Amino acid sequence: MQDKSTMRTEVLMAENRVLNPSEQIVSQANLSPENYERAIKQAQNDPDAYWADAANELEWFQKWNKVLDDSDKPFFKWFVDAKCNIVHNALDRHIKTANKNKVAIIFEGERGDSQKLTYYDLYRQVNKFANVLRSLGVKKGDRVAIYLPNIPEIAIAMLACAKVGAAHNVVYAGFSAAALKERIQSSAAKLVISADGFFRRGKVVHLKHVVDEAIIGVDTIEKVILVKRAGEDIKLSDKRYSWYHELMDSASPYAETEVMDSEDMLFMLYTSGTTAKPKGIVHVHGGYMVGINRTLNWVFDIKPTDIYWCAADPGWITGHSYIIYGPLIAGTTTVMYEGHPAYPGPDRMWQIIEKYGINILYTSPTTIRMLMGFGDELPKKHDLTTLRLLGSVGEPINPEAWMWYYENIGRSQCPVMDTWWQTETGMFMVTPVPVAPLKPGSANKPFPGIEAEVVDKKGHPVPIGEGGFLAVKKPWPAMLRTLYNDKEKYKDVYWSIIPGYYTAGDVVRKDEDGYFWFQGRADDVLNIAGHRIATAEIESALVAHSAVAEAAAIGVPDKIRGELAKAFVILKQGVEGSDELAKELKKHIRSELGPIVVMQGIDFVDSLPKTRSGKIMRRVLKSRETGKDVGDLTTLSD
Ligand code: PRX
């Protein structure tokens, strides 16, 4: 029998319901419906002029000679020959304005401790840390690994790297030692910045021993800097380790900001593709700051007077673009929360909104669905009337969760911006703006300047209502420039599947009003609670276990997290399958890949469906698991 929530979702979908933006937002917004339509047309007719307008909202040390150089496709260059530094826009320039003494970061610790940093405080901390980095020999072009939790020091570390011209490589603090090691090695990082630990669900998550293990045998690492967050009694016996606070003590609060070329690397961020090896997505200073600034201004209608909370983690692209760089460029107040959204109680998020009078909340469908499960009464116990706009990201949001968010958190007054984008795109790509009519569950339309289409494998548009691949026809300023040290793979993965297009790996359909409805990944990439993970990564972790001969992983639907992983395992001869072994394998996956991989189950099997050439047909396993049609099996060997 269907449960009530799926029935309601279907009703909403069938109604194709449209919600109009609130009067209040329309009158306040940076954008009017007329300007929005005009911007779409201007961006189509003269994209260079449109993006130059966006770039002119920021400060440059030297302006560009050309907006876009597309002479070496797909290695596009934006704002050619311009000189800039994103930190100048995110920090330095605010010090000369009324923003100087305004709060830049509000930090809320899981245990309720809190800290506020003004733009001037942050500026001085970043300068000090930039001087620390320089004193350790870090210079333009170097790579620095950052393995820190959601605390102000991660923002300071990222900004200080950018200030001295080094590229940061942030590794999410939930990743395992193996994942950290791999990311340190592939970026040949000189330095790791980490912490003793942090607080999550009432416990200390220890980070130092993860770093200890990750840097064994890695000779590029010259130094490890540890922030004292958890207050652990640790003696640093290894000469390479130093405490952050000790280095900061004697550093000067003034530092020059490195002049960067617009196309110089700002950061790399590893993300999962279809293979077992994650890809290092490269972003640069110039185009990236233009893209995130324009989108944050128009989509979240951000104002310097806002208290804005993006409840993601800086370890992901969402945190890079929309917790740290975007909001600081906008001169707004950005909130960082260390802990779990339902700790110590399921109303923690509503309590934080009330405590700081938050105006804009940006979170994921998984979080919304989880908190929705605690009922409608908890949000009512808190004053959420300061909220004026809501956002969602990371995975498709079902209309049921959208409506709950809209009605219970947004009092049916705050527009919900369902923003579709990726680590690779750097900025929102398909998204509503607050002045556009909304359809619950749809990410609306491509942002002005983005030419996205729904196409088949040959690049032909598919008929309205039918599913196809999301493809982007024109380059955009915040796009990835390449994969770190792998230009060929960059071309193959993103620009060769559908000739002439950037392919994102997502399946989407367009309705009769031109609204996009995202349906999930088209490839062997899982999306567990908004976290990307390749089936190949799970399989490779499994076969690394001594009991496993072969393994196949698939995604299965989950009501809260959208998707969970399920594995089918062939054991080595003489090994017996048991509940204990399944538990051990789950633990093994966790320690290899980190807690983002949530397993629904592990089945022991005698064989796996394969093509005649030996490729595992995950599609067959998935169909069997979800009860959906298996489709064409003529290429199957067994
Ligand atoms: O499948 C899409 C899904 O998340 C993927 C990108 O993951 P990542 O690079 O980790 O970045 C996540 C945060 C930007 C996409 O290929 N995705 C992201 N946002 C949405 C989404 N799917 C549907 N609707 C969204 N709003």
Side-chain angles (χ1 to χ4, degrees):
M1 207 182 75
Q2 256 188 330
D3 71 21
K4 269 209 274 7
S5 65
T6 18
M7 272 160 46
R8 176 135 185 250
T9 300
E10 278 166 15
V11 172
L12 285 165
M13 298 271 247
E15 274 179 357
N16 200 1
R17 181 167 166 176
V18 177
L19 296 167
N20 282 308
S22 75
E23 295 267 317
Q24 193 201 347
I25 285 284
V26 176
S27 61
Q28 280 183 11
N30 286 327
L31 207 60
S32 67
E34 298 74 35
N35 288 345
Y36 175 53
E37 291 304 327
R38 208 177 306 130
I40 293 176
K41 290 213 178 73
Q42 189 212 354
Q44 266 163 1
N45 298 336
D46 192 350
D48 282 10
Y50 168 79
W51 289 118
D53 277 352
N56 276 320
E57 287 169 10
L58 298 168
E59 289 185 6
W60 300 77
F61 304 136
Q62 178 188 302
K63 291 260 171 113
W64 49 94
N65 292 321
K66 200 171 179 197
V67 173
L68 170 67
D69 175 359
D70 59 0
S71 58
D72 182 21
K73 292 183 186 126
F75 299 96
F76 300 97
K77 293 194 176 94
W78 284 86
F79 308 107
V80 183
D81 296 329
K83 303 287 175 228
C84 60
N85 190 312
I86 195 166
V87 177
H88 175 82
N89 282 287
L91 220 46
D92 302 354
R93 69 181 170 135
H94 295 307
I95 303 315
K96 296 175 218 133
T97 71
N99 278 344
K100 180 176 174 181
N101 295 319
K102 204 199 114 141
V103 175
I105 293 178
I106 294 179
F107 168 67
E108 166 87 2
E110 193 184 73
R111 296 177 309 169
D113 50 322
S114 111
Q115 193 189 340
K116 288 182 180 168
L117 284 161
T118 65
Y119 274 88
Y120 193 48
D121 293 333
L122 185 62
Y123 170 77
R124 281 183 297 188
Q125 298 294 315
V126 169
N127 285 346
K128 276 171 159 255
F129 199 54
N131 286 326
V132 168
L133 291 176
R134 282 187 173 132
S135 73
L136 296 172
V138 175
K139 52 182 191 319
K140 194 168 174 171
D142 287 342
R143 277 89 45 215
V144 172
I146 299 179
Y147 184 65
L148 277 169
N150 199 352
I151 56 176
E153 286 79 0
I154 191 167
I156 295 168
M158 288 164 72
L159 291 159
C161 285
K163 182 151 196 150
V164 305
H168 52 74
N169 175 10
V170 179
V171 181
Y172 172 62
F175 273 127
S176 63
L180 175 61
K181 187 188 200 95
E182 152 129 36
R183 284 156 178 79
I184 292 174
Q185 279 179 321
S186 11
S187 63
K190 254 188 169 174
L191 206 85
V192 186
I193 305 160
S194 188
D196 53 351
F198 66 103
F199 301 99
R200 182 99 181 163
R201 286 186 199 249
K203 297 202 179 90
V204 173
V205 179
H206 300 275
L207 291 182
K208 183 187 171 272
H209 71 263
V210 184
V211 179
D212 293 344
E213 198 183 322
I215 64 167
I216 294 173
V218 184
D219 45 17
T220 58
I221 292 298
E222 294 169 10
K223 197 92 202 154
V224 178
I225 301 178
L226 288 183
V227 174
K228 203 168 201 140
R229 165 64 191 153
E232 299 285 89
D233 186 18
I234 297 175
K235 292 244 165 357
L236 301 183
S237 47
D238 185 327
K239 272 205 314 273
R240 286 182 294 179
Y241 283 66
S242 298
W243 287 113
Y244 172 89
H245 60 270
E246 288 176 4
L247 295 169
M248 288 288 271
D249 253 1
S250 54
S252 145
Y254 298 99
E256 284 294 310
T257 298
E258 198 72 39
V259 175
M260 304 297 283
D261 187 271
S262 154
E263 284 291 308
D264 278 337
M265 176 158 56
L266 168 64
F267 65 85
M268 70 185 74
L269 188 57
Y270 282 82
T271 186
S272 296
T274 50
T275 60
K277 212 174 148 49
K279 300 172 297 185
I281 308 294
V282 171
H283 284 286
V284 300
H285 277 256
Y288 177 75
M289 68 179 181
V290 173
I292 60 172
N293 184 52
R294 170 53 60 98
T295 46
L296 190 61
N297 269 310
W298 284 11
V299 178
F300 284 172
D301 185 32
I302 203 129
K303 306 274 192 308
T305 44
D306 280 320
I307 312 285
Y308 158 85
W309 185 19
C310 168
D313 189 280
W316 309 113
I317 190 69
T318 308
H320 283 53
S321 301
Y322 300 114
I323 297 178
I324 297 175
Y325 289 114
L328 295 177
I329 292 173
T332 194
T333 300
T334 185
V335 176
M336 300 175 81
Y337 169 55
E338 175 184 40
H340 189 271
Y343 187 87
D347 59 346
R348 183 62 189 269
M349 285 188 61
W350 320 136
Q351 181 232 329
I352 294 175
I353 291 170
E354 177 171 3
K355 179 170 177 186
Y356 298 113
I358 287 166
N359 308 114
I360 301 174
L361 173 67
Y362 187 33
T363 187
S364 68
T366 290
T367 307
I368 298 164
R369 288 189 292 257
M370 178 188 75
L371 297 176
M372 185 173 148
F374 294 109
D376 302 349
E377 288 311 308
L378 284 177
K380 290 202 183 88
K381 294 198 173 126
H382 296 275
D383 179 6
L384 304 182
T385 55
T386 49
L387 286 172
R388 65 177 184 84
L389 192 136
L390 302 172
S392 169
V393 63
E395 31 170 340
I397 180 162
N398 49 312
E400 169 77 5
W402 196 105
M403 284 306 294
W404 185 82
Y405 193 33
Y406 178 76
E407 288 170 351
N408 293 278
I409 308 308
R411 320 174 307 282
S412 304
Q413 284 176 30
C414 307
V416 178
M417 302 292 106
D418 173 15
T419 60
W420 180 91
W421 60 294
Q422 305 177 294
T423 307
E424 290 87 342
T425 70
M427 64 181 225
F428 306 151
M429 298 293 277
V430 180
T431 172
V433 291
V435 296
L438 305 169
K439 295 188 188 190
S442 163
N444 213 278
K445 295 184 184 182
F447 187 76
I450 301 304
E451 292 211 1
E453 256 311 333
V454 186
V455 300
D456 63 19
K457 276 189 181 139
K458 294 203 170 97
H460 304 309
V462 302
I464 296 294
E466 280 181 27
F469 300 102
L470 193 274
V472 187
K473 179 95 189 158
K474 278 198 188 144
W476 62 100
M479 63 191 290
L480 77 164
R481 294 307 193 265
T482 187
L483 292 180
Y484 190 68
N485 277 345
D486 208 342
K487 282 176 138 186
E488 282 310 308
K489 197 164 171 195
Y490 163 71
K491 272 205 273 195
D492 288 353
V493 173
Y494 301 107
W495 298 94
S496 308
I497 297 174
I498 303 171
Y501 283 98
Y502 166 85
T503 33
D506 276 59
V507 180
V508 62
R509 70 180 170 81
K510 208 157 86 166
D511 70 15
E512 58 286 358
D513 298 318
Y515 279 53
F516 286 60
W517 298 77
F518 283 91
Q519 325 205 306
R521 299 285 302 190
D523 47 18
D524 287 324
V525 175
L526 308 184
N527 188 333
I528 304 175
H531 300 140
R532 259 162 90 167
I533 193 92
T535 51
E537 286 175 270
I538 301 172
E539 290 160 4
S540 133
L542 279 166
V543 295
H545 189 280
S546 58
V548 177
E550 274 191 77
I554 58 165
V556 290
D558 178 74
K559 273 211 176 123
I560 306 250
R561 291 183 173 91
E563 199 167 40
L564 296 182
K566 162 133 204 189
F568 299 85
V569 166
I570 303 179
L571 294 171
K572 284 197 181 141
Q573 261 193 343
V575 183
E576 278 291 312
S578 64
D579 288 351
E580 279 66 46
L581 182 57
K583 264 194 212 143
E584 187 185 317
L585 290 178
K586 281 189 191 172
K587 222 172 113 195
H588 169 75
I589 293 173
R590 242 178 115 86
S591 77
E592 290 278 305
L593 299 169
I596 57 169
V597 186
V598 187
M599 300 296 299
Q600 186 232 44
I602 294 182
D603 283 4
F604 299 112
V605 293
D606 297 327
S607 67
L608 290 169
K610 286 189 189 154
T611 61
R612 289 194 187 104
S613 62
K615 257 180 93 172
I616 296 170
M617 293 191 80
R618 297 186 187 86
R619 184 164 57 89
V620 174
L621 292 168
K622 185 154 181 159
S623 311
R624 210 171 51 193
E625 204 57 33
T626 54
K628 293 208 177 106
D629 185 19
V630 176
D632 180 15
L633 293 182
T634 47
T635 54
L636 198 66
S637 75
D638 183 1

